[in-house]
Amino acid sequence: MSAAPPGSDRPGTATGSHEPASPSPDHPGTATGSHAPASPSPDHPGTALDPIVVCRRWVDLRPSVDPLTGAVESDPRTSGASAADDAALEWALQAAEAWGTSVVAVTVGPTGSQAVLRDALAAGAARAIQVDLGSSGDAASVAAEIAAVARALSARMVLCGDMGVDRGSGAVPALVAAAMGARQALGLVDLTIDPAEPGVVTGWRRLDGGRRQHLRAQAPFVASVEGASIRLRRASLAGVLRSGGAPIEVVAATGPTGGRVPSWMPASTGPGRPRTHVVDGPDPHEPAWRRVTLLTGSGADRPALRVVHAEPVDAAHQLIAALADWGEWE
Amino acid sequence: MTAADVTRPAADAAGAAGAPPGPPLPAPAANAAADNHAPAGDFDAVVVGAGPAGSAAALVLARSGQRVCLLERGPYPGSKNMYGGVVYPRILDGLLPEWWEDAPVQRWVTRRATMTLTDDQALTIDFRTESWGRPPYNGATALRPEFDAWLAAKAVDAGAVLVTSTTATGLLRDGPGGAVTGVSTDRPDGDLRAGIVVACDGVNSFLAKQAGLHGPVDPANYTLGAKEVLAVPARTIEERFGLGPNQGADFEIIGCTGAIPGGGFLYTNRDSLAVGVVLHLPALATAGVRPEELIAGLKAHPAVAPLVAGGELVEYSAHLIPEGGYDMMPALAGAGILVAGDAAAMCLAAGIWLEGVNFAIASGMAAGEAAAAALAANDVSEQGLAGYRRRLQDGFVLQDHRRLRHAPHLLLSERVQRRYPQLACDIVEDLFTVTNPEPKPGMRRLVRRQVTASGVRLRDLAADTWRALRTFG
Ligand SMILES: Cc1cc2nc3c(=O)[nH]c(=O)nc-3n(C[C@H](O)[C@H](O)[C@H](O)COP(=O)(O)OP(=O)(O)OC[C@H]3O[C@@H](n4cnc5c(N)ncnc54)[C@H](O)[C@@H]3O)c2cc1C
């Protein structure tokens, strides 16, 4: 499938191929088909002058939760960028170095979030912009602000972490792509940046069921990366010292109408839910009541709880034996 | 200006169709990573360690107009630091007048108790005063991540440049064995040159050791402090300890560490308790007991258990203390380098007094003053920095340490640790046990009876009393 043209209302999807298995045709948001042509399309080549925007979100990495009320308390001292946002910065810096361009770090958040911009400046970003939206922005408005900055910078390459560590929706990168009318390559676990092909990234991403997809995205694109994809370089001492006094551009949020998020995109998201996983269904020939009991486990015999006192190695063997007994270990 | 008004990079803006209006920005450095050079000689002073000593030194240096860099290995000042829990910040009166207005205090200590424990007895000397709960106050419980960050922020406000997540890995010298001219760090291009280095890098001070200022390390000079923080609601703390809303209690405990010389403590934070032990290092190493087992024993003691009951463990930490005091102190200055705080063994650990933070602040301030004076005089040689020791001698830091130099040895002795607590408790138990129809024994007879029963020789008792009088008198 070829990518949607920039400016269309529907987010483009990077071209790609699944490996080893092909995707189900109804898999949401992923591309099907084989590799895209190797050369960037002539109408949208990445140019050496395009800055790369990297998004950084300031988040408490060790929030404390009141066990009684569930209230979350965050502390600026333990706040910073997630591993995924750091990975995005590293990829952005590598791309900028390969293609001879610069990185602009953007955060949408309160004043405290400037700390993650300074980290980016220390590591090598050329410019830092804070969109002052307080801490209340939902995914759609955050995305709209990032897209507005990218547009204003004529930036056509945006890199983000794949998901906030605080149970974020993970929707921001897709929403930015939607608002920019850019291709999207989301949830990448690895990226290849070729100095000979400015404005083009190829990478792998995970799919459900252990599948992987190989993607190739050409500017304009939004790519999001997993935290484990790469480690952010250690900023040099000079970089750190310089970043302390470097100017940070603070801009006011454009407000709810400023972004171009399509109306069909969800404006807000519900609470996080664990991922579903495939459970082998019971034999369809069994009677209905039997299938229900098999699926729910209700009324099934359960092994009695047993407390084991043993040396660690012996205890581990006993645990494995018990798991095997219960059918949880092969 | 809104996000839509952000200007493109100037180089780019010129030819771009539809570029938003606005003055073009100067072209950004292509990619900053490419032109990273450590700024050589950009600082007059580098202070290593943003604990109380380091921040105080940096604050004084910055106020005196020196360009000072404060290096901290943790992600923020205080993130790596632990202690029992009580600070005595009156040393800040001159430096930060009315410090209590914004210092991050948990509770003002208005109750101080010294507990002597045996397995099933407790003898407590308990003192409280309302005057410690009013300005200028006396001691306060405070959390180090808050307190250290607050003090470091004062240094930054004064002009110091704080660099966190950066470890000083060694000293730079003017030729082999020459004057110290800066530090290397664990960052790329990480050399930081300066006229003077103030090593406030805590008890293990690798910098002071590398500078050759420390003699050989003797584990007998160190104790290990281990602490649990237990979450307890503020109201419960106030009821259990008999405190008002902002008031706090400080319990020092002796006789709670079994065969290992040491002591214990119990402090009240706003809505948590700090309970821990301090253990003589060589004895701990040979005892085959883990510190947390001793804390568990302390918490289970009948005199302590009701105070900590129901507390939920929220933190466990441990740290070394330079217990040896005056006799383990290194040379305090070398060419281009000063050592302050725990790095110079300035912590005062003398039984009823465990004061490290105020000694660290005071020595940091003295180091800052001496460094500033030496920089102004353009003489950072060992002689040029001799003013540091003079300042410490003129103040409480070295005076208290010299007077109490024998306290650690006395307090960690077997008799003080085990026999005397038992003896004191037995005497008091005897005193208050009513054995009618027998008449009450006279005090002298009672004491003699218990001393004999304890196996303590009168000669030793007299000698220890004399030593204690000389030490603390
Ligand atoms: C269990 C325990 C209980 C205590 N109770 C009390 C008490 O109740 N009251 C009291 O006043 N004192 C108490 N103390 C003593 C007190 O904590 C210390 O004396 C005091 O913290 C010393 O301050 P400092 O600044 O010298 O060192 P530290 O507080 O140890 O600070 C050293 C700083 O240097 C940083 N650092 C170290 N090496 C490097 C490097 N190479 N590069 C960059 N940064 C580095 C560290 O991260 C740290 O921030 C206690 C200590 C312990 C262990």
Side-chain angles (χ1 to χ4, degrees), chain A residues 51-76:
Chain A
I52 301 173
V53 166
V54 66
C55 311
R56 318 254 308 147
R57 177 154 182 260
W58 188 61
V59 61
D60 192 341
L61 303 168
R62 287 191 353 219
S64 66
V65 181
D66 186 312
L68 291 180
T69 63
V72 180
E73 237 178 60
S74 47
D75 183 339

Side-chain angles (χ1 to χ4, degrees), chain B residues 48-54 71-74 78 80-88 144 148 166-169 200-203 225-226 265 267 278 319-321 340-343 347 354-358 360:
Chain B
V48 180
L71 271 189
E72 168 56 43
R73 66 181 169 172
K80 293 267 182 192
N81 301 345
M82 68 83 74
Y83 77 145
V86 179
V87 288
Y88 298 94
R144 290 294 295 276
D148 290 11
T166 305
T167 302
T169 49
C200 302
D201 49 342
V203 56
F265 55 85
Y267 305 133
V278 170
H319 201 282
L320 286 180
I321 302 175
D342 274 15
C347 178
L354 176 49
E355 296 176 25
V357 173
N358 48 331

Side-chain angles (χ1 to χ4, degrees), chain A residues 49-51 77-78 93 96-97 101-102 123-127 129 131 145 148-149 152-154 233-242 249-254, chain B residues 1-4 6-9 11-12 20 25 28-33 35-39 43 76 145-146 161 163 165-166 185-192:
Chain A
L49 292 176
D50 278 353
R77 285 166 312 182
T78 51
L93 292 168
E97 283 157 8
T101 182
S102 62
R127 202 172 158 187
I129 298 170
V131 182
E145 297 301 339
V149 171
L153 294 167
S154 298
R233 67 193 60 186
R234 187 140 168 78
S236 70
L237 187 60
V240 172
L241 290 169
R242 198 173 37 222
E249 298 157 58
V250 182
V251 295
T254 50
Chain B
M1 182 166 97
T2 70
V6 170
T7 50
R8 319 175 47 189
D12 197 0
L25 291 181
N31 201 13
D35 67 337
N36 283 343
H37 304 291
F43 293 101
Y76 59 90
E146 292 177 0
V161 174
V163 176
S165 299
T166 305
T185 72
D186 62 344
R187 289 196 175 271
D189 297 328
D191 287 0
L192 197 53

Side-chain angles (χ1 to χ4, degrees), chain A residues 139 167-169 171 266-271:
Chain A
R167 292 219 161 219
S169 63
S268 63
T269 48

